Amino acid sequence: MERLLLTLLLLSEGPVLSACVPRQYIFVDQAMSWTKAQAYCRQTYTDLAIAGNSEEMNRLIDTVSSAAPSSGVWIGLYSENTFLWSDGFRGGDEYRKWRSYEPDWEEKELCVRTEKNIGWWDSPCMNRYRFICYAGTQLDPEFIAVQEPTTWLAAQSFCRENFTDLATVRDDQEHQEVQKLVPSGSSAWIGLFRPALVWSDGTEFSLSSWDGARPRGISCGAASLKESDNLDFQSCETRLPFVCYSHPVFRKVVKLRLRAAGSVDLNDPAVKADLLRKLQLRLKASGATLRWREQPDGRVFTEEADVRGDEL
């Protein structure tokens, strides 16, 4: 059996490497909401269109450039378009103390800082500011100022290791308590953040791979491709045509030369099923699917004097 497995793997090495096959993009000229478009793509193909690098982006543009309406087409990019507290607080009314014209929904501004006597700003998470932790519980917090500037994620880790979490601010009273801990003219991180943009399959969006593509605004968290490499974010309920993607499926017949030990009948259904199961287990990581190619009489293996190979 081991000799048979080695033969199969060597003969199958080329077609098994299907992960290198480029995605195929399919333009669907039916107006749907983003969610319904996603469901259609997952049922009919693989998912809404995803592009991980500039080459895929160019092929995606080529697919839709001649057919896409001026209103755009859905692709598989989205954001929840909501701010969440680091400690998971969901109770009560949503309290926000935004500075005028904030948040401005810039793509990289996913974390929130508070500035003395001004209000809250959404800012890039890699900026370095003081930060406010809290100890105790969500309903009875004790706020603690940490003066060493750091990034939002580093501040979150520090607060969780040494106290409870980054500060959750539920009302005006707690806002005033936090403000007392921020020096004049300074800013401090609090625990409010917005989840990053992600693709429909859950992978994080990398702006650098899109050759200068820039989101122009966000509403509800759905994205559409408009002209060239520009992205435009619209309400998820807007009805637009869309682009799906799929992975091409390749089939290849692999011929095997087998020598049965003793009186084993290779055409016995139980023997064929066991052999196929073991072969499939060995190829599981490749994503390949195997099946026997049967003759009209149901036989797979044929005994011949001069065997040139039996088909899988």
Side-chain angles (χ1 to χ4, degrees), residues 70-89:
S70 59
S71 58
V73 295
W74 290 132
I75 59 173
L77 191 64
Y78 76 97
S79 169
E80 293 184 359
N81 191 31
T82 185
F83 283 88
L84 307 173
W85 290 106
S86 175
D87 65 357
F89 176 72

PDB file of all heavy atoms in Angstrom, residues 70-89:
ATOM      1  N   SER A  70     -22.313  53.243 -13.344  1.00  0.00           N
ATOM      2  CA  SER A  70     -21.630  54.327 -12.648  1.00  0.00           C
ATOM      3  C   SER A  70     -21.868  54.288 -11.150  1.00  0.00           C
ATOM      4  O   SER A  70     -21.082  54.831 -10.370  1.00  0.00           O
ATOM      5  CB  SER A  70     -22.091  55.675 -13.208  1.00  0.00           C
ATOM      6  OG  SER A  70     -23.509  55.819 -13.041  1.00  0.00           O
ATOM      7  N   SER A  71     -22.945  53.644 -10.722  1.00  0.00           N
ATOM      8  CA  SER A  71     -23.243  53.567  -9.292  1.00  0.00           C
ATOM      9  C   SER A  71     -22.347  52.575  -8.569  1.00  0.00           C
ATOM     10  O   SER A  71     -22.318  52.531  -7.348  1.00  0.00           O
ATOM     11  CB  SER A  71     -24.708  53.159  -9.079  1.00  0.00           C
ATOM     12  OG  SER A  71     -24.974  51.917  -9.711  1.00  0.00           O
ATOM     13  N   GLY A  72     -21.596  51.755  -9.319  1.00  0.00           N
ATOM     14  CA  GLY A  72     -20.673  50.828  -8.698  1.00  0.00           C
ATOM     15  C   GLY A  72     -21.223  49.421  -8.605  1.00  0.00           C
ATOM     16  O   GLY A  72     -22.373  49.144  -8.957  1.00  0.00           O
ATOM     17  N   VAL A  73     -20.390  48.512  -8.127  1.00  0.00           N
ATOM     18  CA  VAL A  73     -20.772  47.110  -7.931  1.00  0.00           C
ATOM     19  C   VAL A  73     -20.262  46.652  -6.582  1.00  0.00           C
ATOM     20  O   VAL A  73     -19.234  47.115  -6.090  1.00  0.00           O
ATOM     21  CB  VAL A  73     -20.187  46.204  -9.042  1.00  0.00           C
ATOM     22  CG1 VAL A  73     -20.780  46.536 -10.392  1.00  0.00           C
ATOM     23  CG2 VAL A  73     -18.667  46.295  -9.074  1.00  0.00           C
ATOM     24  N   TRP A  74     -21.001  45.749  -5.975  1.00  0.00           N
ATOM     25  CA  TRP A  74     -20.559  45.219  -4.686  1.00  0.00           C
ATOM     26  C   TRP A  74     -19.348  44.310  -4.860  1.00  0.00           C
ATOM     27  O   TRP A  74     -19.275  43.513  -5.795  1.00  0.00           O
ATOM     28  CB  TRP A  74     -21.663  44.403  -4.025  1.00  0.00           C
ATOM     29  CG  TRP A  74     -22.851  45.156  -3.514  1.00  0.00           C
ATOM     30  CD1 TRP A  74     -24.161  44.843  -3.730  1.00  0.00           C
ATOM     31  CD2 TRP A  74     -22.861  46.308  -2.663  1.00  0.00           C
ATOM     32  NE1 TRP A  74     -24.977  45.739  -3.092  1.00  0.00           N
ATOM     33  CE2 TRP A  74     -24.204  46.647  -2.432  1.00  0.00           C
ATOM     34  CE3 TRP A  74     -21.854  47.103  -2.106  1.00  0.00           C
ATOM     35  CZ2 TRP A  74     -24.581  47.739  -1.641  1.00  0.00           C
ATOM     36  CZ3 TRP A  74     -22.226  48.189  -1.325  1.00  0.00           C
ATOM     37  CH2 TRP A  74     -23.573  48.492  -1.097  1.00  0.00           C
ATOM     38  N   ILE A  75     -18.389  44.434  -3.940  1.00  0.00           N
ATOM     39  CA  ILE A  75     -17.323  43.453  -3.766  1.00  0.00           C
ATOM     40  C   ILE A  75     -17.367  43.018  -2.306  1.00  0.00           C
ATOM     41  O   ILE A  75     -18.199  43.490  -1.533  1.00  0.00           O
ATOM     42  CB  ILE A  75     -15.945  44.030  -4.144  1.00  0.00           C
ATOM     43  CG1 ILE A  75     -15.621  45.260  -3.280  1.00  0.00           C
ATOM     44  CG2 ILE A  75     -15.897  44.356  -5.626  1.00  0.00           C
ATOM     45  CD1 ILE A  75     -14.212  45.780  -3.478  1.00  0.00           C
ATOM     46  N   GLY A  76     -16.475  42.132  -1.914  1.00  0.00           N
ATOM     47  CA  GLY A  76     -16.579  41.521  -0.592  1.00  0.00           C
ATOM     48  C   GLY A  76     -15.910  42.264   0.538  1.00  0.00           C
ATOM     49  O   GLY A  76     -15.356  41.642   1.444  1.00  0.00           O
ATOM     50  N   LEU A  77     -15.934  43.590   0.527  1.00  0.00           N
ATOM     51  CA  LEU A  77     -15.311  44.379   1.583  1.00  0.00           C
ATOM     52  C   LEU A  77     -16.377  45.027   2.445  1.00  0.00           C
ATOM     53  O   LEU A  77     -17.365  45.544   1.938  1.00  0.00           O
ATOM     54  CB  LEU A  77     -14.419  45.461   0.967  1.00  0.00           C
ATOM     55  CG  LEU A  77     -13.488  46.226   1.908  1.00  0.00           C
ATOM     56  CD1 LEU A  77     -12.463  45.295   2.524  1.00  0.00           C
ATOM     57  CD2 LEU A  77     -12.790  47.353   1.148  1.00  0.00           C
ATOM     58  N   TYR A  78     -16.189  44.993   3.767  1.00  0.00           N
ATOM     59  CA  TYR A  78     -17.194  45.593   4.637  1.00  0.00           C
ATOM     60  C   TYR A  78     -16.587  45.999   5.977  1.00  0.00           C
ATOM     61  O   TYR A  78     -15.487  45.578   6.340  1.00  0.00           O
ATOM     62  CB  TYR A  78     -18.351  44.621   4.882  1.00  0.00           C
ATOM     63  CG  TYR A  78     -18.034  43.510   5.853  1.00  0.00           C
ATOM     64  CD1 TYR A  78     -18.401  43.596   7.195  1.00  0.00           C
ATOM     65  CD2 TYR A  78     -17.361  42.371   5.437  1.00  0.00           C
ATOM     66  CE1 TYR A  78     -18.104  42.575   8.088  1.00  0.00           C
ATOM     67  CE2 TYR A  78     -17.071  41.347   6.314  1.00  0.00           C
ATOM     68  CZ  TYR A  78     -17.437  41.455   7.645  1.00  0.00           C
ATOM     69  OH  TYR A  78     -17.133  40.444   8.520  1.00  0.00           O
ATOM     70  N   SER A  79     -17.310  46.822   6.685  1.00  0.00           N
ATOM     71  CA  SER A  79     -16.972  47.211   8.049  1.00  0.00           C
ATOM     72  C   SER A  79     -18.262  47.285   8.833  1.00  0.00           C
ATOM     73  O   SER A  79     -19.320  47.616   8.294  1.00  0.00           O
ATOM     74  CB  SER A  79     -16.274  48.575   8.092  1.00  0.00           C
ATOM     75  OG  SER A  79     -16.181  49.050   9.427  1.00  0.00           O
ATOM     76  N   GLU A  80     -18.195  46.956  10.094  1.00  0.00           N
ATOM     77  CA  GLU A  80     -19.398  47.042  10.924  1.00  0.00           C
ATOM     78  C   GLU A  80     -19.844  48.482  11.139  1.00  0.00           C
ATOM     79  O   GLU A  80     -20.966  48.744  11.535  1.00  0.00           O
ATOM     80  CB  GLU A  80     -19.152  46.370  12.277  1.00  0.00           C
ATOM     81  CG  GLU A  80     -18.955  44.868  12.179  1.00  0.00           C
ATOM     82  CD  GLU A  80     -18.815  44.235  13.541  1.00  0.00           C
ATOM     83  OE1 GLU A  80     -18.857  44.963  14.555  1.00  0.00           O
ATOM     84  OE2 GLU A  80     -18.652  43.007  13.603  1.00  0.00           O
ATOM     85  N   ASN A  81     -18.930  49.444  10.883  1.00  0.00           N
ATOM     86  CA  ASN A  81     -19.280  50.854  10.987  1.00  0.00           C
ATOM     87  C   ASN A  81     -19.896  51.202  12.339  1.00  0.00           C
ATOM     88  O   ASN A  81     -20.881  51.913  12.432  1.00  0.00           O
ATOM     89  CB  ASN A  81     -20.241  51.261   9.857  1.00  0.00           C
ATOM     90  CG  ASN A  81     -20.406  52.770   9.777  1.00  0.00           C
ATOM     91  OD1 ASN A  81     -19.492  53.509  10.101  1.00  0.00           O
ATOM     92  ND2 ASN A  81     -21.569  53.210   9.369  1.00  0.00           N
ATOM     93  N   THR A  82     -19.302  50.660  13.385  1.00  0.00           N
ATOM     94  CA  THR A  82     -19.785  50.970  14.729  1.00  0.00           C
ATOM     95  C   THR A  82     -18.598  50.948  15.679  1.00  0.00           C
ATOM     96  O   THR A  82     -17.625  50.224  15.457  1.00  0.00           O
ATOM     97  CB  THR A  82     -20.841  49.946  15.185  1.00  0.00           C
ATOM     98  OG1 THR A  82     -21.376  50.348  16.450  1.00  0.00           O
ATOM     99  CG2 THR A  82     -20.260  48.555  15.321  1.00  0.00           C
ATOM    100  N   PHE A  83     -18.674  51.762  16.710  1.00  0.00           N
ATOM    101  CA  PHE A  83     -17.616  51.787  17.710  1.00  0.00           C
ATOM    102  C   PHE A  83     -18.001  50.898  18.890  1.00  0.00           C
ATOM    103  O   PHE A  83     -19.150  50.897  19.337  1.00  0.00           O
ATOM    104  CB  PHE A  83     -17.359  53.219  18.177  1.00  0.00           C
ATOM    105  CG  PHE A  83     -16.568  54.033  17.197  1.00  0.00           C
ATOM    106  CD1 PHE A  83     -17.208  54.735  16.186  1.00  0.00           C
ATOM    107  CD2 PHE A  83     -15.183  54.066  17.258  1.00  0.00           C
ATOM    108  CE1 PHE A  83     -16.480  55.481  15.267  1.00  0.00           C
ATOM    109  CE2 PHE A  83     -14.451  54.811  16.338  1.00  0.00           C
ATOM    110  CZ  PHE A  83     -15.100  55.512  15.345  1.00  0.00           C
ATOM    111  N   LEU A  84     -17.024  50.141  19.373  1.00  0.00           N
ATOM    112  CA  LEU A  84     -17.240  49.190  20.463  1.00  0.00           C
ATOM    113  C   LEU A  84     -16.302  49.504  21.609  1.00  0.00           C
ATOM    114  O   LEU A  84     -15.224  50.078  21.418  1.00  0.00           O
ATOM    115  CB  LEU A  84     -16.977  47.754  19.968  1.00  0.00           C
ATOM    116  CG  LEU A  84     -17.717  47.309  18.704  1.00  0.00           C
ATOM    117  CD1 LEU A  84     -17.217  45.935  18.273  1.00  0.00           C
ATOM    118  CD2 LEU A  84     -19.223  47.294  18.938  1.00  0.00           C
ATOM    119  N   TRP A  85     -16.706  49.098  22.817  1.00  0.00           N
ATOM    120  CA  TRP A  85     -15.840  49.263  23.982  1.00  0.00           C
ATOM    121  C   TRP A  85     -14.950  48.040  24.155  1.00  0.00           C
ATOM    122  O   TRP A  85     -15.377  46.912  23.939  1.00  0.00           O
ATOM    123  CB  TRP A  85     -16.665  49.486  25.247  1.00  0.00           C
ATOM    124  CG  TRP A  85     -17.357  50.821  25.280  1.00  0.00           C
ATOM    125  CD1 TRP A  85     -18.674  51.070  25.108  1.00  0.00           C
ATOM    126  CD2 TRP A  85     -16.727  52.095  25.482  1.00  0.00           C
ATOM    127  NE1 TRP A  85     -18.923  52.425  25.183  1.00  0.00           N
ATOM    128  CE2 TRP A  85     -17.747  53.079  25.418  1.00  0.00           C
ATOM    129  CE3 TRP A  85     -15.409  52.506  25.704  1.00  0.00           C
ATOM    130  CZ2 TRP A  85     -17.482  54.435  25.574  1.00  0.00           C
ATOM    131  CZ3 TRP A  85     -15.141  53.864  25.861  1.00  0.00           C
ATOM    132  CH2 TRP A  85     -16.177  54.809  25.799  1.00  0.00           C
ATOM    133  N   SER A  86     -13.715  48.272  24.565  1.00  0.00           N
ATOM    134  CA  SER A  86     -12.728  47.207  24.699  1.00  0.00           C
ATOM    135  C   SER A  86     -13.176  46.113  25.663  1.00  0.00           C
ATOM    136  O   SER A  86     -12.879  44.938  25.461  1.00  0.00           O
ATOM    137  CB  SER A  86     -11.390  47.797  25.171  1.00  0.00           C
ATOM    138  OG  SER A  86     -10.444  46.792  25.423  1.00  0.00           O
ATOM    139  N   ASP A  87     -13.888  46.485  26.723  1.00  0.00           N
ATOM    140  CA  ASP A  87     -14.315  45.488  27.716  1.00  0.00           C
ATOM    141  C   ASP A  87     -15.640  44.830  27.360  1.00  0.00           C
ATOM    142  O   ASP A  87     -16.181  44.050  28.145  1.00  0.00           O
ATOM    143  CB  ASP A  87     -14.401  46.112  29.111  1.00  0.00           C
ATOM    144  CG  ASP A  87     -15.478  47.191  29.216  1.00  0.00           C
ATOM    145  OD1 ASP A  87     -16.123  47.502  28.185  1.00  0.00           O
ATOM    146  OD2 ASP A  87     -15.684  47.728  30.318  1.00  0.00           O
ATOM    147  N   GLY A  88     -16.181  45.141  26.180  1.00  0.00           N
ATOM    148  CA  GLY A  88     -17.420  44.503  25.740  1.00  0.00           C
ATOM    149  C   GLY A  88     -18.680  45.125  26.287  1.00  0.00           C
ATOM    150  O   GLY A  88     -19.770  44.556  26.127  1.00  0.00           O
ATOM    151  N   PHE A  89     -18.597  46.301  26.902  1.00  0.00           N
ATOM    152  CA  PHE A  89     -19.778  46.936  27.496  1.00  0.00           C
ATOM    153  C   PHE A  89     -20.840  47.210  26.433  1.00  0.00           C
ATOM    154  O   PHE A  89     -20.557  47.783  25.394  1.00  0.00           O
ATOM    155  CB  PHE A  89     -19.387  48.246  28.179  1.00  0.00           C
ATOM    156  CG  PHE A  89     -20.566  49.016  28.727  1.00  0.00           C
ATOM    157  CD1 PHE A  89     -21.238  48.569  29.849  1.00  0.00           C
ATOM    158  CD2 PHE A  89     -21.011  50.174  28.100  1.00  0.00           C
ATOM    159  CE1 PHE A  89     -22.323  49.267  30.359  1.00  0.00           C
ATOM    160  CE2 PHE A  89     -22.087  50.884  28.600  1.00  0.00           C
ATOM    161  CZ  PHE A  89     -22.756  50.421  29.736  1.00  0.00           C
TER     162      PHE A  89
END
